[in-house]
Amino acid sequence: MTGAAPLRVWITRAEPGAARTAARLRDMGLEPIIAPLLAVEPLTPALPDLAIFDALAFTSPNGVAAYAPLTPRRDHAVFAVGDATAQAASAAGFPDVRSAQGDLTALARLIAESLSDAAILIPQAETPAGDMTAALTQAGARRIMAHPLPIYRTNPTAQPAPAAFDAVLIHSPRAARLLADRHAAALHGAMIACISPAAAPLAALGLPPLVAPSPNEAALLAIFNPTLGKRGASV
């Protein structure tokens, strides 16, 4: 007798992250469906004088990927929002990388605890998911000069919803809004798993997601396998 068919999981995040997520899902015995709602477009801004900065802060692997080709310098200390971003920075050649293992608030707290009277460059999305400067202020880092630098943007794709899926992964507030605006009808009956509480647009439509207990992909994927971690709570 054959076993049950594997859970079909729609990955909405942009490449190249979508492929990494798909590999993790396959390792869990699930069937990934890559259908990104967003595509990353690197920008080519003029870099400021890098000599005035004491450190870099990256809020996503996309920021690392967009920044690395712009300069050969790798002598700045790097603060990364989470382990995946830290791994991307290390792979790009930065030798001094510290991970906040959390979200923007955790990253700001780590910077505040590590630096004072410092200038920090923040290569980030053109439309960031959160305000890093405000997070630093709230963390008590009032003597840190933060310089946001937009180096990539995410554009909506024309990707339709998959013909059949059992669950959907949401990695960003932008993807949650696109799902709510374009694909709400297709989501009824599917498990909705979100990396943070930012999936509020779906909850407002009667589609409450399961939220990862920590804002990282390991916790997100553990929703599908309780042996990997606690199951997220509904919004």
Side-chain angles (χ1 to χ4, degrees):
M1 181 168 56
T2 60
L7 196 74
R8 298 165 297 183
V9 183
W10 176 13
I11 302 169
T12 63
R13 72 184 304 196
E15 291 286 17
R20 294 193 296 268
T21 300
R24 296 182 183 114
L25 289 172
R26 291 190 193 95
D27 287 345
M28 295 171 63
L30 306 179
E31 180 184 338
I33 303 171
I34 298 177
L37 297 178
L38 296 163
V40 175
E41 177 189 353
L43 305 176
T44 54
L47 291 181
D49 180 7
L50 297 178
I52 70 172
F53 295 102
D54 300 287
L56 306 173
F58 290 109
T59 58
S60 74
N62 290 330
V64 177
Y67 177 82
L70 299 179
T71 173
R73 290 192 61 163
R74 299 292 187 268
D75 55 332
H76 286 96
V78 169
F79 294 89
V81 68
D83 290 346
T85 303
Q87 291 166 8
S90 295
F94 291 96
D96 182 5
V97 180
R98 281 162 272 186
S99 171
Q101 298 181 324
D103 55 12
L104 207 65
T105 300
L107 177 58
R109 189 182 305 118
L110 176 63
I111 293 170
E113 293 169 352
S114 304
L115 301 175
S116 62
D117 292 316
I120 189 162
L121 182 66
I122 308 167
Q124 62 181 18
E126 185 177 56
T127 306
D131 187 337
M132 187 65 193
T133 301
L136 285 168
T137 299
Q138 292 170 3
R142 293 178 177 83
R143 300 179 69 177
I144 293 179
M145 182 190 75
H147 181 88
L149 178 68
I151 57 169
Y152 73 94
R153 65 170 60 106
T154 53
N155 300 313
T157 69
Q159 181 70 55
F165 60 96
D166 305 301
V168 58
L169 287 179
I170 303 171
H171 282 77
S172 70
R174 189 96 180 273
R177 290 193 294 271
L178 287 170
L179 281 167
D181 292 342
R182 298 181 178 182
H183 305 297
L187 298 178
H188 287 280
M191 177 188 291
I192 302 170
C194 183
I195 203 167
S196 78
L202 293 168
L205 296 174
L207 296 165
L210 297 170
V211 178
S214 301
N216 59 70
E217 186 165 87
L220 174 64
L221 299 188
I223 290 173
F224 300 113
N225 186 349
T227 64
L228 299 180
K230 291 184 178 180
R231 188 163 182 156
S234 295
V235 170

